[in-house]
């Protein structure tokens, strides 16, 4: 079947995907299949309305999702390594287990536009279900789990642990300030 993806900015059809899907399937599944088709065929995903897309485990390595609307998308386990998510709206997106290493998150909504690298070990902070999450290597932490991990007397490299803990403190302050600002704007 043919499925149209529209621009989040103009509402015009951005591309039409050829997907194998039942006509009665949920929109999230259709959008997810269309995005996968677009990625494989080099279609333009920049600024696309991909709200609620089911992209569980999708390979979107290096994808140009600049300004895309991914609110509420399921990106659980997706490979977004090196993807351009600049200015994308990721509020409510499920990023659990997603590979965001090297992704451009500058100006993205719903995530920290910050990542941290300690000797090749990269951490990325984001907000999921109004809670701060940290993806570091192959692990996902909340703030208290991150502090317990890097502050543990069992953590082998004390200097690296201290650097990680300083970054966790910083990211908590930044994301808390952003949440406060968003709450004020909404009021």
């Amino acid at each position: 079947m043919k499925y149209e993806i529209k621009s989040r900015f103009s509402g015009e059809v951005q591309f039409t995907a050829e997907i194998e899907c039942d006509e009665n399937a949920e929109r999230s599944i259709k959008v997810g299949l269309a995005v996968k088709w677009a990625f494989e065929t080099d279609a333009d995903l920049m600024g696309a309305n991909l709200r609620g897309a089911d992209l569980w485990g999708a390979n979107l390595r290096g994808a140009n999702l600049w300004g895309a609307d991914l609110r509420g998308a399921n990106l659980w386990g997706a490979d977004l390594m090196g993807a351009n998510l600049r200015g994308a709206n990721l509020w409510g997106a499920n990023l659990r287990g997603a590979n965001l290493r090297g992704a451009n998150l500058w100006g993205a909504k719903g995530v920290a536009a910050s990542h941290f690298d300690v000797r090749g070990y990269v951490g990325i902070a984001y907000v999921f279900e109004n809670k701060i999450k940290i993806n570091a290597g192959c692990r996902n932490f909340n703030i208290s789990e991150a502090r317990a991990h890097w502050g543990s007397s069992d953590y082998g490299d004390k200097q690296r642990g201290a650097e990680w803990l300083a970054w966790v403190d910083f990211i908590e302050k930044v994301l808390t300030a952003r949440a406060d600002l968003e709450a004020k704007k909404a009021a």
Side-chain angles (χ1 to χ4, degrees):
M1 75 177 275
K2 292 183 187 281
Y3 190 79
E4 295 177 342
I5 296 292
K6 298 180 179 180
S7 167
R8 76 179 270 207
F9 302 112
S10 68
E12 295 178 16
V13 175
Q14 194 160 328
F15 64 87
T16 303
E18 288 286 338
I19 60 173
E20 291 186 32
C21 186
D22 186 281
E23 290 277 339
N24 298 319
E26 292 182 30
R27 180 187 177 280
S28 62
I29 293 170
K30 292 176 185 174
V31 174
L33 290 170
V35 169
K36 292 172 187 174
W37 176 90
F39 182 70
E40 291 172 9
T41 61
D42 292 324
D44 185 12
L45 291 168
M46 189 169 97
N49 180 359
L50 308 175
R51 191 174 191 171
D54 185 357
L55 294 165
W56 181 86
N59 175 12
L60 297 171
R61 188 177 279 222
N64 184 9
L65 294 160
W66 183 93
D69 185 354
L70 288 157
R71 283 180 286 175
N74 181 10
L75 292 160
W76 190 89
D79 186 356
L80 292 159
M81 183 174 188
N84 182 4
L85 292 160
R86 183 180 182 132
N89 190 339
L90 292 160
W91 283 110
N94 182 353
L95 293 166
R96 184 176 202 124
N99 179 4
L100 294 165
R101 186 177 203 145
N104 179 356
L105 296 167
W106 183 258
K109 295 173 181 69
V111 296
S114 171
H115 67 278
F116 190 64
D117 188 334
V118 177
R119 293 173 240 141
Y121 191 57
V122 176
I124 297 170
Y126 58 95
V127 176
F128 176 62
E129 294 179 348
N130 295 322
K131 293 184 178 106
I132 299 169
K133 299 290 185 177
I134 296 172
N135 176 292
C138 62
R139 301 191 59 184
N140 286 293
F141 303 107
N142 62 33
I143 291 289
S144 61
E145 291 167 340
R147 285 194 176 110
H149 176 69
W150 288 307
S152 167
S153 59
D154 294 335
Y155 192 76
D157 187 334
K158 300 301 178 205
Q159 179 60 38
R160 182 189 288 183
E163 291 175 35
W164 280 110
L165 289 172
W167 180 70
V168 168
D169 290 342
F170 167 76
I171 214 62
E172 183 178 37
K173 288 176 184 172
V174 168
L175 291 181
T176 300
R178 280 190 186 172
D180 292 345
L181 182 61
E182 290 296 323
K184 286 178 185 175
K185 284 181 184 177

